[in-house]
């Protein structure tokens, strides 16, 4: 039995009260203060991290140059891609499709997948990972770059092998598995 009218109202609400410690965030991918991370030839800009969303999700602006995109992988979180510019090839459980500007694809947790820019133009997409955490993996394995379209530095074969070993060693920490095929 409620002890006050306020408690009676709270008991009927299905959502908690507003968390006044959280703030409005306005994020722009071209902001020089945003983390821009060079990774596998691509550039990922963290627009919202888990710290910003109470770990519910992260939002990443991705610049994928021609030929770019990560190797086949899978992970234990949901991932959604919204293609803003260009078109990319997405492989999901072995099936390839072309995803064009204005289209969205969703990858369920644990499903093998890969995306690749098979065109001769850059692709820009937004990536939502839920829950958050993938942005931390990118920050640990990638390198800081100046802007949202600055490519990561080219690396020699020895450095490439070191990068691959580092990514594979960190993958389990982020519930990610590198695969031979998507």
């Amino acid at each position: 039995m409620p002890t006050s009218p306020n408690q009676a109202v709270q008991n009927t609400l299905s959502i908690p009260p507003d968390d006044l410690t959280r703030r409005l965030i306005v994020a722009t991918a071209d902001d020089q203060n945003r983390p821009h991370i060079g990774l596998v030839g691509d550039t990922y800009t963290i627009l919202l991290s888990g710290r910003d969303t109470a770990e519910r999700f992260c939002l990443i602006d991705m610049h994928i140059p021609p030929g770019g995109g990560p190797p086949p992988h899978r992970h234990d979180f949901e991932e959604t891609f919204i293609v803003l510019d260009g078109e990319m090839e997405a492989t999901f459980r072995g099936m390839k499709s072309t995803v064009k500007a204005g289209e969205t694809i969703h990858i369920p947790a644990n499903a093998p997948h890969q995306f690749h820019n098979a065109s001769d133009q850059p692709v820009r997409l937004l990536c939502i990972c839920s829950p958050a955490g993938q942005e931390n993996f990118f920050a640990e394995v990638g390198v800081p770059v100046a802007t949202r379209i600055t490519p990561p530095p080219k690396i020699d074969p020895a450095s490439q092998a070191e990068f691959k070993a580092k990514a594979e060693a960190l993958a389990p920490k982020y519930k990610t598995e590198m695969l031979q095929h998507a």
Side-chain angles (χ1 to χ4, degrees):
M1 174 149 291
T3 58
S4 70
N6 233 6
Q7 187 178 4
V9 170
Q10 281 188 341
N11 288 343
T12 62
L13 291 177
S14 61
I15 59 173
D18 184 12
D19 180 351
L20 299 177
T21 64
R22 298 192 59 205
R23 59 188 175 82
L24 173 72
I25 298 170
V26 178
T28 305
D30 291 320
D31 181 347
Q32 297 304 312
N33 296 316
R34 292 259 140 230
H36 305 287
I37 302 166
L39 186 63
V40 297
D42 306 339
T43 304
Y44 302 159
T45 299
I46 310 304
L47 296 174
L48 296 172
S49 71
R51 288 184 314 278
D52 301 321
T53 67
E55 302 303 326
R56 288 179 168 92
F57 69 95
C58 65
L59 177 63
I60 303 161
D61 184 293
M62 296 180 158
H63 175 80
I64 316 297
H73 62 282
R74 66 188 199 107
H75 37 64
D76 189 27
F77 54 84
E78 303 286 309
E79 191 170 39
T80 300
F81 297 102
I82 304 157
V83 181
L84 301 176
D85 295 312
E87 67 180 49
M88 69 174 187
E89 181 180 87
T91 304
F92 174 74
R93 296 182 182 146
M95 304 267 314
K96 289 185 182 184
S97 10
T98 300
V99 186
K100 298 178 181 179
E103 295 180 328
T104 299
I105 61 169
H106 177 75
I107 309 295
N110 305 310
H113 65 282
Q114 176 181 20
F115 59 91
H116 175 73
N117 182 355
S119 77
D120 61 356
Q121 297 296 313
V123 172
R124 183 176 186 193
L125 51 107
L126 293 176
C127 175
I128 302 167
C129 299
S130 177
Q134 185 69 358
E135 75 280 19
N136 299 323
F137 178 63
F138 293 157
E140 275 199 71
V141 298
V143 296
V145 295
T147 71
R148 77 165 193 84
I149 59 171
T150 302
K154 299 283 184 198
I155 56 177
D156 59 48
S159 298
Q160 180 69 25
E162 286 176 29
F163 166 80
K164 185 177 178 184
K166 181 179 181 182
E168 287 174 353
L170 285 169
K173 175 181 175 182
Y174 294 100
K175 299 180 179 180
T176 297
E177 179 183 15
M178 303 303 177
L179 304 170
Q180 292 298 317
H181 307 284

Short mmCIF file of all heavy atoms in Angstrom, two decimals, residues 107-161:
data_model
loop_
_atom_site.label_atom_id
_atom_site.label_comp_id
_atom_site.label_asym_id
_atom_site.label_seq_id
_atom_site.Cartn_x
_atom_site.Cartn_y
_atom_site.Cartn_z
N ILE A 107 22.66 -7.03 -38.06
CA ILE A 107 23.35 -8.29 -37.87
C ILE A 107 23.03 -8.78 -36.45
O ILE A 107 23.41 -8.14 -35.47
CB ILE A 107 24.89 -8.14 -38.01
CG1 ILE A 107 25.28 -7.42 -39.30
CG2 ILE A 107 25.58 -9.48 -37.84
CD1 ILE A 107 24.94 -8.15 -40.57
N PRO A 108 22.34 -9.91 -36.32
CA PRO A 108 22.06 -10.43 -34.98
C PRO A 108 23.35 -10.88 -34.28
O PRO A 108 24.32 -11.25 -34.94
CB PRO A 108 21.16 -11.65 -35.24
CG PRO A 108 20.68 -11.52 -36.64
CD PRO A 108 21.71 -10.71 -37.37
N ALA A 109 23.34 -10.84 -32.98
CA ALA A 109 24.49 -11.29 -32.19
C ALA A 109 24.88 -12.71 -32.60
O ALA A 109 24.02 -13.54 -32.89
CB ALA A 109 24.15 -11.24 -30.70
N ASN A 110 26.18 -12.94 -32.64
CA ASN A 110 26.80 -14.25 -32.89
C ASN A 110 26.78 -14.72 -34.34
O ASN A 110 27.32 -15.78 -34.64
CB ASN A 110 26.20 -15.32 -31.97
CG ASN A 110 26.30 -14.92 -30.52
OD1 ASN A 110 27.37 -14.54 -30.06
ND2 ASN A 110 25.19 -14.95 -29.82
N ALA A 111 26.19 -13.96 -35.25
CA ALA A 111 26.11 -14.38 -36.65
C ALA A 111 27.39 -14.02 -37.40
O ALA A 111 27.88 -12.89 -37.29
CB ALA A 111 24.92 -13.71 -37.34
N PRO A 112 27.95 -14.94 -38.18
CA PRO A 112 29.13 -14.63 -39.00
C PRO A 112 28.78 -13.57 -40.05
O PRO A 112 27.73 -13.66 -40.70
CB PRO A 112 29.47 -15.97 -39.67
CG PRO A 112 28.77 -17.01 -38.87
CD PRO A 112 27.56 -16.35 -38.30
N HIS A 113 29.67 -12.59 -40.20
CA HIS A 113 29.42 -11.54 -41.19
C HIS A 113 30.71 -10.80 -41.55
O HIS A 113 31.74 -10.96 -40.91
CB HIS A 113 28.36 -10.55 -40.68
CG HIS A 113 28.80 -9.76 -39.48
ND1 HIS A 113 28.81 -10.30 -38.21
CD2 HIS A 113 29.26 -8.50 -39.35
CE1 HIS A 113 29.24 -9.39 -37.35
NE2 HIS A 113 29.52 -8.28 -38.03
N GLN A 114 30.59 -10.00 -42.58
CA GLN A 114 31.69 -9.16 -43.06
C GLN A 114 31.07 -8.08 -43.93
O GLN A 114 30.04 -8.30 -44.57
CB GLN A 114 32.66 -10.00 -43.88
CG GLN A 114 33.79 -9.21 -44.51
CD GLN A 114 34.72 -10.09 -45.34
OE1 GLN A 114 34.36 -11.20 -45.74
NE2 GLN A 114 35.91 -9.60 -45.60
N PHE A 115 31.67 -6.90 -43.96
CA PHE A 115 31.28 -5.92 -44.96
C PHE A 115 32.53 -5.46 -45.68
O PHE A 115 33.63 -5.46 -45.13
CB PHE A 115 30.47 -4.76 -44.37
CG PHE A 115 31.17 -3.96 -43.30
CD1 PHE A 115 31.93 -2.85 -43.62
CD2 PHE A 115 31.04 -4.30 -41.97
CE1 PHE A 115 32.56 -2.09 -42.65
CE2 PHE A 115 31.65 -3.56 -40.98
CZ PHE A 115 32.42 -2.45 -41.32
N HIS A 116 32.34 -5.11 -46.95
CA HIS A 116 33.48 -4.80 -47.81
C HIS A 116 33.04 -3.76 -48.83
O HIS A 116 31.96 -3.86 -49.41
CB HIS A 116 33.92 -6.09 -48.52
CG HIS A 116 35.00 -5.89 -49.53
ND1 HIS A 116 36.31 -5.63 -49.16
CD2 HIS A 116 34.98 -5.89 -50.88
CE1 HIS A 116 37.05 -5.50 -50.26
NE2 HIS A 116 36.26 -5.65 -51.31
N ASN A 117 33.89 -2.76 -49.05
CA ASN A 117 33.62 -1.77 -50.09
C ASN A 117 34.22 -2.28 -51.40
O ASN A 117 35.42 -2.16 -51.63
CB ASN A 117 34.20 -0.41 -49.72
CG ASN A 117 33.88 0.65 -50.76
OD1 ASN A 117 33.32 0.36 -51.81
ND2 ASN A 117 34.27 1.88 -50.48
N ALA A 118 33.38 -2.86 -52.24
CA ALA A 118 33.81 -3.40 -53.53
C ALA A 118 33.73 -2.35 -54.64
O ALA A 118 34.07 -2.64 -55.78
CB ALA A 118 32.95 -4.61 -53.90
N SER A 119 33.32 -1.14 -54.30
CA SER A 119 33.17 -0.09 -55.31
C SER A 119 34.46 0.73 -55.44
O SER A 119 35.43 0.50 -54.74
CB SER A 119 32.01 0.84 -54.94
OG SER A 119 32.39 1.73 -53.90
N ASP A 120 34.43 1.73 -56.32
CA ASP A 120 35.59 2.60 -56.49
C ASP A 120 35.38 3.95 -55.79
O ASP A 120 36.14 4.88 -55.99
CB ASP A 120 35.90 2.80 -57.98
CG ASP A 120 34.77 3.45 -58.76
OD1 ASP A 120 33.69 3.71 -58.17
OD2 ASP A 120 34.96 3.72 -59.96
N GLN A 121 34.34 4.05 -54.96
CA GLN A 121 34.04 5.27 -54.20
C GLN A 121 34.00 4.95 -52.71
O GLN A 121 33.64 3.84 -52.32
CB GLN A 121 32.67 5.83 -54.62
CG GLN A 121 32.60 6.26 -56.08
CD GLN A 121 33.54 7.42 -56.37
OE1 GLN A 121 33.59 8.40 -55.62
NE2 GLN A 121 34.30 7.30 -57.45
N PRO A 122 34.34 5.92 -51.85
CA PRO A 122 34.25 5.67 -50.41
C PRO A 122 32.80 5.40 -49.98
O PRO A 122 31.86 5.87 -50.61
CB PRO A 122 34.74 6.97 -49.77
CG PRO A 122 35.36 7.75 -50.85
CD PRO A 122 34.82 7.26 -52.16
N VAL A 123 32.67 4.66 -48.91
CA VAL A 123 31.37 4.39 -48.30
C VAL A 123 31.37 5.04 -46.93
O VAL A 123 32.37 4.99 -46.21
CB VAL A 123 31.11 2.87 -48.17
CG1 VAL A 123 29.85 2.59 -47.37
CG2 VAL A 123 31.04 2.21 -49.53
N ARG A 124 30.26 5.65 -46.60
CA ARG A 124 30.09 6.20 -45.25
C ARG A 124 28.87 5.53 -44.63
O ARG A 124 27.81 5.47 -45.24
CB ARG A 124 29.89 7.71 -45.29
CG ARG A 124 29.77 8.31 -43.90
CD ARG A 124 29.66 9.80 -43.92
NE ARG A 124 29.69 10.33 -42.57
CZ ARG A 124 29.38 11.57 -42.27
NH1 ARG A 124 29.05 12.44 -43.23
NH2 ARG A 124 29.42 11.98 -41.02
N LEU A 125 29.06 5.02 -43.42
CA LEU A 125 27.94 4.40 -42.75
C LEU A 125 27.99 4.67 -41.27
O LEU A 125 29.03 5.03 -40.72
CB LEU A 125 27.90 2.89 -43.04
CG LEU A 125 29.16 2.08 -42.81
CD1 LEU A 125 29.01 1.23 -41.57
CD2 LEU A 125 29.38 1.19 -44.00
N LEU A 126 26.85 4.53 -40.64
CA LEU A 126 26.76 4.60 -39.20
C LEU A 126 26.61 3.18 -38.69
O LEU A 126 25.89 2.37 -39.28
CB LEU A 126 25.56 5.42 -38.74
CG LEU A 126 25.60 6.91 -39.05
CD1 LEU A 126 24.30 7.58 -38.62
CD2 LEU A 126 26.79 7.57 -38.37
N CYS A 127 27.29 2.88 -37.60
CA CYS A 127 27.25 1.56 -36.99
C CYS A 127 26.78 1.71 -35.55
O CYS A 127 27.35 2.50 -34.80
CB CYS A 127 28.63 0.91 -37.05
SG CYS A 127 28.73 -0.67 -36.19
N ILE A 128 25.74 0.97 -35.20
CA ILE A 128 25.24 0.94 -33.83
C ILE A 128 25.53 -0.45 -33.28
O ILE A 128 25.12 -1.45 -33.87
CB ILE A 128 23.73 1.22 -33.78
CG1 ILE A 128 23.40 2.56 -34.41
CG2 ILE A 128 23.22 1.13 -32.33
CD1 ILE A 128 21.92 2.77 -34.68
N CYS A 129 26.24 -0.52 -32.16
CA CYS A 129 26.50 -1.78 -31.48
C CYS A 129 25.80 -1.75 -30.14
O CYS A 129 25.95 -0.79 -29.38
CB CYS A 129 28.00 -1.98 -31.26
SG CYS A 129 28.97 -2.04 -32.77
N SER A 130 25.04 -2.83 -29.85
CA SER A 130 24.30 -2.89 -28.60
C SER A 130 24.44 -4.27 -27.98
O SER A 130 24.14 -5.25 -28.64
CB SER A 130 22.82 -2.58 -28.86
OG SER A 130 22.07 -2.70 -27.68
N PRO A 131 24.93 -4.31 -26.71
CA PRO A 131 25.35 -3.18 -25.90
C PRO A 131 26.68 -2.60 -26.39
O PRO A 131 27.31 -3.16 -27.29
CB PRO A 131 25.49 -3.78 -24.50
CG PRO A 131 25.77 -5.23 -24.73
CD PRO A 131 25.05 -5.58 -26.01
N ALA A 132 27.08 -1.53 -25.75
CA ALA A 132 28.34 -0.85 -26.09
C ALA A 132 29.54 -1.73 -25.77
O ALA A 132 29.42 -2.73 -25.08
CB ALA A 132 28.44 0.47 -25.32
N GLY A 133 30.70 -1.34 -26.26
CA GLY A 133 31.95 -2.03 -25.98
C GLY A 133 32.84 -2.14 -27.20
O GLY A 133 34.05 -2.11 -27.08
N GLN A 134 32.23 -2.26 -28.38
CA GLN A 134 33.03 -2.41 -29.59
C GLN A 134 33.93 -1.20 -29.83
O GLN A 134 35.04 -1.34 -30.33
CB GLN A 134 32.11 -2.65 -30.80
CG GLN A 134 32.83 -2.94 -32.08
CD GLN A 134 33.53 -4.29 -32.10
OE1 GLN A 134 33.54 -5.03 -31.13
NE2 GLN A 134 34.13 -4.62 -33.22
N GLU A 135 33.49 -0.03 -29.42
CA GLU A 135 34.30 1.17 -29.59
C GLU A 135 35.62 1.05 -28.81
O GLU A 135 36.65 1.58 -29.23
CB GLU A 135 33.52 2.43 -29.20
CG GLU A 135 33.32 2.67 -27.72
CD GLU A 135 32.20 1.87 -27.03
OE1 GLU A 135 31.75 0.84 -27.57
OE2 GLU A 135 31.81 2.27 -25.93
N ASN A 136 35.59 0.34 -27.69
CA ASN A 136 36.80 0.14 -26.90
C ASN A 136 37.76 -0.82 -27.60
O ASN A 136 38.98 -0.64 -27.55
CB ASN A 136 36.45 -0.37 -25.51
CG ASN A 136 35.58 0.63 -24.76
OD1 ASN A 136 35.76 1.84 -24.88
ND2 ASN A 136 34.62 0.13 -24.01
N PHE A 137 37.22 -1.84 -28.25
CA PHE A 137 38.05 -2.76 -29.04
C PHE A 137 38.75 -1.97 -30.15
O PHE A 137 39.96 -2.10 -30.34
CB PHE A 137 37.17 -3.87 -29.62
CG PHE A 137 37.91 -4.86 -30.49
CD1 PHE A 137 38.92 -5.66 -29.96
CD2 PHE A 137 37.58 -5.00 -31.82
CE1 PHE A 137 39.59 -6.59 -30.77
CE2 PHE A 137 38.23 -5.91 -32.63
CZ PHE A 137 39.24 -6.71 -32.10
N PHE A 138 37.99 -1.14 -30.87
CA PHE A 138 38.58 -0.34 -31.94
C PHE A 138 39.69 0.55 -31.40
O PHE A 138 40.76 0.67 -32.01
CB PHE A 138 37.52 0.51 -32.64
CG PHE A 138 36.50 -0.27 -33.41
CD1 PHE A 138 35.26 0.28 -33.68
CD2 PHE A 138 36.76 -1.55 -33.89
CE1 PHE A 138 34.31 -0.43 -34.41
CE2 PHE A 138 35.81 -2.27 -34.61
CZ PHE A 138 34.58 -1.69 -34.88
N ALA A 139 39.46 1.18 -30.26
CA ALA A 139 40.47 2.07 -29.68
C ALA A 139 41.73 1.31 -29.27
O ALA A 139 42.84 1.84 -29.40
CB ALA A 139 39.88 2.80 -28.47
N GLU A 140 41.58 0.08 -28.81
CA GLU A 140 42.75 -0.70 -28.38
C GLU A 140 43.57 -1.23 -29.55
O GLU A 140 44.78 -1.31 -29.46
CB GLU A 140 42.32 -1.88 -27.49
CG GLU A 140 42.18 -1.49 -26.05
CD GLU A 140 42.22 -2.69 -25.13
OE1 GLU A 140 43.30 -3.31 -24.95
OE2 GLU A 140 41.15 -3.01 -24.57
N VAL A 141 42.91 -1.61 -30.65
CA VAL A 141 43.67 -2.19 -31.76
C VAL A 141 44.00 -1.19 -32.85
O VAL A 141 44.95 -1.39 -33.59
CB VAL A 141 42.96 -3.43 -32.38
CG1 VAL A 141 42.81 -4.53 -31.37
CG2 VAL A 141 41.64 -3.07 -33.00
N GLY A 142 43.24 -0.11 -32.95
CA GLY A 142 43.48 0.89 -34.00
C GLY A 142 44.49 1.93 -33.59
O GLY A 142 45.08 1.86 -32.52
N VAL A 143 44.67 2.92 -34.47
CA VAL A 143 45.58 4.03 -34.19
C VAL A 143 44.82 5.34 -34.36
O VAL A 143 43.99 5.47 -35.26
CB VAL A 143 46.82 4.02 -35.12
CG1 VAL A 143 47.66 2.79 -34.88
CG2 VAL A 143 46.42 4.12 -36.58
N PRO A 144 45.09 6.32 -33.50
CA PRO A 144 44.44 7.62 -33.65
C PRO A 144 44.84 8.26 -34.98
O PRO A 144 46.01 8.18 -35.39
CB PRO A 144 44.96 8.45 -32.48
CG PRO A 144 45.49 7.45 -31.51
CD PRO A 144 45.95 6.28 -32.32
N VAL A 145 43.87 8.88 -35.66
CA VAL A 145 44.14 9.64 -36.88
C VAL A 145 43.49 11.01 -36.73
O VAL A 145 42.69 11.23 -35.81
CB VAL A 145 43.66 8.90 -38.15
CG1 VAL A 145 44.45 7.61 -38.36
CG2 VAL A 145 42.17 8.61 -38.12
N ALA A 146 43.79 11.93 -37.63
CA ALA A 146 43.41 13.33 -37.47
C ALA A 146 41.93 13.63 -37.70
O ALA A 146 41.34 14.44 -36.99
CB ALA A 146 44.26 14.20 -38.39
N THR A 147 41.31 13.01 -38.72
CA THR A 147 39.94 13.36 -39.08
C THR A 147 39.14 12.10 -39.40
O THR A 147 39.70 11.01 -39.47
CB THR A 147 39.89 14.28 -40.33
OG1 THR A 147 40.24 13.49 -41.49
CG2 THR A 147 40.83 15.46 -40.20
N ARG A 148 37.85 12.27 -39.65
CA ARG A 148 36.99 11.12 -39.94
C ARG A 148 37.29 10.45 -41.27
O ARG A 148 36.82 9.34 -41.52
CB ARG A 148 35.52 11.48 -39.85
CG ARG A 148 34.98 12.24 -41.01
CD ARG A 148 33.44 12.26 -41.04
NE ARG A 148 33.01 12.74 -42.31
CZ ARG A 148 32.88 12.00 -43.40
NH1 ARG A 148 33.14 10.72 -43.39
NH2 ARG A 148 32.49 12.54 -44.54
N ILE A 149 38.09 11.11 -42.13
CA ILE A 149 38.43 10.49 -43.42
C ILE A 149 39.94 10.28 -43.58
O ILE A 149 40.39 9.83 -44.63
CB ILE A 149 37.88 11.29 -44.62
CG1 ILE A 149 38.41 12.71 -44.63
CG2 ILE A 149 36.35 11.27 -44.62
CD1 ILE A 149 38.09 13.48 -45.89
N THR A 150 40.72 10.58 -42.54
CA THR A 150 42.16 10.34 -42.61
C THR A 150 42.42 8.84 -42.59
O THR A 150 41.99 8.15 -41.66
CB THR A 150 42.88 10.98 -41.41
OG1 THR A 150 42.61 12.38 -41.38
CG2 THR A 150 44.38 10.75 -41.48
N PRO A 151 43.09 8.31 -43.60
CA PRO A 151 43.38 6.87 -43.57
C PRO A 151 44.45 6.55 -42.53
O PRO A 151 45.29 7.38 -42.22
CB PRO A 151 43.89 6.58 -44.98
CG PRO A 151 44.38 7.88 -45.51
CD PRO A 151 43.61 8.96 -44.81
N PRO A 152 44.38 5.33 -42.01
CA PRO A 152 45.46 4.94 -41.09
C PRO A 152 46.77 4.82 -41.86
O PRO A 152 46.76 4.64 -43.08
CB PRO A 152 45.01 3.58 -40.56
CG PRO A 152 43.96 3.10 -41.49
CD PRO A 152 43.40 4.28 -42.20
N PRO A 153 47.89 4.95 -41.18
CA PRO A 153 49.17 4.82 -41.88
C PRO A 153 49.32 3.42 -42.48
O PRO A 153 48.85 2.44 -41.92
CB PRO A 153 50.22 5.07 -40.79
CG PRO A 153 49.50 5.02 -39.49
CD PRO A 153 48.05 5.17 -39.75
N LYS A 154 49.98 3.36 -43.62
CA LYS A 154 50.28 2.06 -44.25
C LYS A 154 51.28 1.34 -43.36
O LYS A 154 52.18 1.96 -42.80
CB LYS A 154 50.89 2.26 -45.64
CG LYS A 154 49.97 2.98 -46.61
CD LYS A 154 48.90 2.07 -47.13
CE LYS A 154 48.07 2.80 -48.17
NZ LYS A 154 46.80 2.16 -48.39
N ILE A 155 51.12 0.02 -43.25
CA ILE A 155 52.05 -0.74 -42.43
C ILE A 155 52.70 -1.85 -43.25
O ILE A 155 52.09 -2.38 -44.18
CB ILE A 155 51.38 -1.30 -41.16
CG1 ILE A 155 50.15 -2.16 -41.49
CG2 ILE A 155 50.97 -0.18 -40.23
CD1 ILE A 155 49.50 -2.78 -40.27
N ASP A 156 53.93 -2.14 -42.89
CA ASP A 156 54.68 -3.18 -43.60
C ASP A 156 54.19 -4.57 -43.17
O ASP A 156 53.44 -4.68 -42.19
CB ASP A 156 56.18 -3.02 -43.35
CG ASP A 156 56.54 -3.10 -41.87
OD1 ASP A 156 56.07 -4.03 -41.18
OD2 ASP A 156 57.30 -2.23 -41.41
N PRO A 157 54.59 -5.62 -43.87
CA PRO A 157 54.11 -6.98 -43.53
C PRO A 157 54.38 -7.40 -42.09
O PRO A 157 53.54 -8.05 -41.47
CB PRO A 157 54.85 -7.87 -44.54
CG PRO A 157 55.11 -6.98 -45.72
CD PRO A 157 55.37 -5.62 -45.12
N ALA A 158 55.52 -7.03 -41.54
CA ALA A 158 55.82 -7.41 -40.15
C ALA A 158 54.84 -6.71 -39.19
O ALA A 158 54.32 -7.33 -38.26
CB ALA A 158 57.25 -7.05 -39.79
N SER A 159 54.59 -5.43 -39.42
CA SER A 159 53.64 -4.69 -38.58
C SER A 159 52.23 -5.23 -38.77
O SER A 159 51.44 -5.26 -37.82
CB SER A 159 53.68 -3.20 -38.90
OG SER A 159 54.96 -2.68 -38.63
N GLN A 160 51.90 -5.64 -39.99
CA GLN A 160 50.59 -6.22 -40.26
C GLN A 160 50.40 -7.50 -39.44
O GLN A 160 49.34 -7.72 -38.85
CB GLN A 160 50.44 -6.52 -41.76
CG GLN A 160 49.11 -7.13 -42.15
CD GLN A 160 47.95 -6.17 -42.03
OE1 GLN A 160 48.11 -4.95 -42.08
NE2 GLN A 160 46.77 -6.71 -41.86
N ALA A 161 51.43 -8.32 -39.37
CA ALA A 161 51.37 -9.56 -38.59
C ALA A 161 51.20 -9.24 -37.10
O ALA A 161 50.43 -9.91 -36.39
CB ALA A 161 52.61 -10.40 -38.83
#
